[in-house]
Amino acid sequence: MTNFVDDLAAALSGAKHAVVLTGAGISTESGIPDFRSPGGTWDKFDPMEVASLDVFIREPERFWAFHRPRFDMVASVAPNAAHAAVAELQRRGLVKALITQNIDGLHRRAGSPDVIEIHGSLSSGRCLRCDFRLSTDELLARADAADDGVPRCECGFQLKSNVVSFGEMLPGEELDRAFEHAGLADVMLVIGSSLLVAPVSNLPGFVLANSGTLAILTEGETPYDSRAKIRLHTKAAETLPQVLAALDTLDQTD
Ligand code: APR
């Protein structure tokens, strides 16, 4: 594993346009379960029954019964050493873009200067019918005041956070930025993602098509494992500080 840590440090140090792509696995050591590990969220819930746009429209009470506790869970945890290490890589100028599938806001709280939140975030809400927009505090105040737990707009329609639900369009600007950076990347480091959900799961393919280096730091398997030049099946919060230490050693020998 030490070789792979050194290899990853060397790849990041020599990259012209390194991009980091993160998934739920980077937040598990903060206490947020991921989705597809044994015991993960989708072991307990069917995403199509609790997190799809169709359920939000047809049965908003069921949607909000799943969605509401996630706000408190995210508020109750803190970024871990992996989030901090990614922010440090950005600060050192070694990472040109951070793309995350996570909606927990932990990258921003760890100090990452710019985060492409391709699946949206919990940080605000809106009405899909009249495009009324509101803060999370106001959204949750309306949810908690409602007998059925469903926050409603003045137009009468139910409100949701800006987290992308299954079947919902991804935010266009973030999607464009993510694919633009993937097209420019000569190194992509994937951290804590199973790379199973499109369109994000297509991003590593862009790097490979450009003969770039794909590095994957994810405990579980991914469809790209055979094509990753650097593959670590270790815990991100343990390994990324080791990568930073290896970079410091490289700097000293330069
Ligand atoms: N360090 C490294 N990898 C980890 C860690 C850790 N501490 N903890 C978990 N992992 C790995 C798991 O083994 C798994 O391979 O991270 C991966 C997480 O995969 P998923 O649970 O599928 O999460 P993700 O890839 O982010 O899911 C993508 O699916 O349900 C949708 O919108 C949801 O954004 C999510 C998307």
Side-chain angles (χ1 to χ4, degrees):
M1 185 195 73
T2 307
N3 291 342
F4 275 135
V5 166
D6 292 342
D7 292 350
L8 180 49
L12 292 170
S13 175
K16 293 182 182 58
H17 198 100
V19 171
V20 169
L21 168 61
T22 67
I26 199 171
S27 296
T28 56
E29 289 166 278
S30 291
I32 299 180
D34 66 13
F35 295 99
R36 295 174 181 83
S37 287
T41 304
W42 300 150
D43 257 2
K44 301 183 177 77
F45 299 94
D46 174 350
M48 294 307 143
E49 290 301 314
V50 295
S52 72
L53 186 60
D54 180 50
V55 168
F56 169 73
I57 292 168
R58 280 189 301 104
E59 295 181 74
E61 299 85 355
R62 177 191 292 204
F63 179 92
W64 270 95
F66 170 77
H67 200 49
R68 179 68 185 83
R70 299 183 71 71
F71 288 86
D72 298 338
M73 173 175 61
V74 163
S76 68
V77 300
N80 64 57
H83 298 104
V86 170
E88 176 62 17
L89 289 172
Q90 288 179 286
R91 264 194 297 274
R92 295 186 187 187
L94 293 173
V95 166
K96 297 289 185 269
L98 167 58
I99 304 162
T100 189
Q101 301 171 88
N102 301 340
I103 52 96
D104 56 33
L106 291 181
H107 281 301
R108 289 188 192 285
R109 288 172 56 194
S112 279
D114 179 29
V115 188
I116 301 173
E117 293 172 311
I118 199 164
H119 286 171
S121 84
L122 289 169
S123 63
S124 57
R126 76 185 192 284
C127 176
L128 298 186
R129 183 158 73 181
C130 72
D131 204 30
F132 168 67
R133 298 182 181 237
L134 72 169
S135 69
T136 294
D137 288 347
E138 176 57 23
L139 181 70
L140 297 184
R142 294 187 189 202
D144 296 344
D147 292 342
D148 60 1
V150 177
R152 281 189 168 73
C153 177
E154 277 71 6
C155 79
F157 197 63
Q158 56 267 33
L159 294 163
K160 73 186 290 286
S161 75
N162 282 322
V163 169
V164 177
S165 301
F166 282 94
E168 189 175 7
M169 292 280 286
L170 272 66
E173 187 185 329
E174 285 78 1
L175 198 59
D176 290 346
R177 288 183 68 204
F179 275 86
E180 184 188 343
H181 279 291
L184 293 170
D186 54 344
V187 173
M188 176 173 276
L189 169 56
V190 177
I191 305 170
S193 180
S194 59
L195 294 173
L196 291 173
V197 177
V200 171
S201 55
N202 298 319
L203 292 173
F206 277 70
V207 181
L208 295 170
N210 291 339
S211 309
T213 296
L214 178 61
I216 301 177
L217 167 50
T218 290
E219 280 183 306
E221 306 302 311
T222 82
Y224 287 92
D225 287 353
S226 61
R227 289 173 281 170
K229 190 173 177 187
I230 300 167
R231 183 62 176 101
L232 286 150
H233 290 273
T234 52
K235 290 198 174 299
E238 289 168 14
T239 304
L240 286 172
Q242 294 167 9
V243 174
L244 285 179
L247 281 163
D248 293 341
T249 305
L250 277 178
D251 290 347
Q252 286 153 17
T253 50
D254 279 356

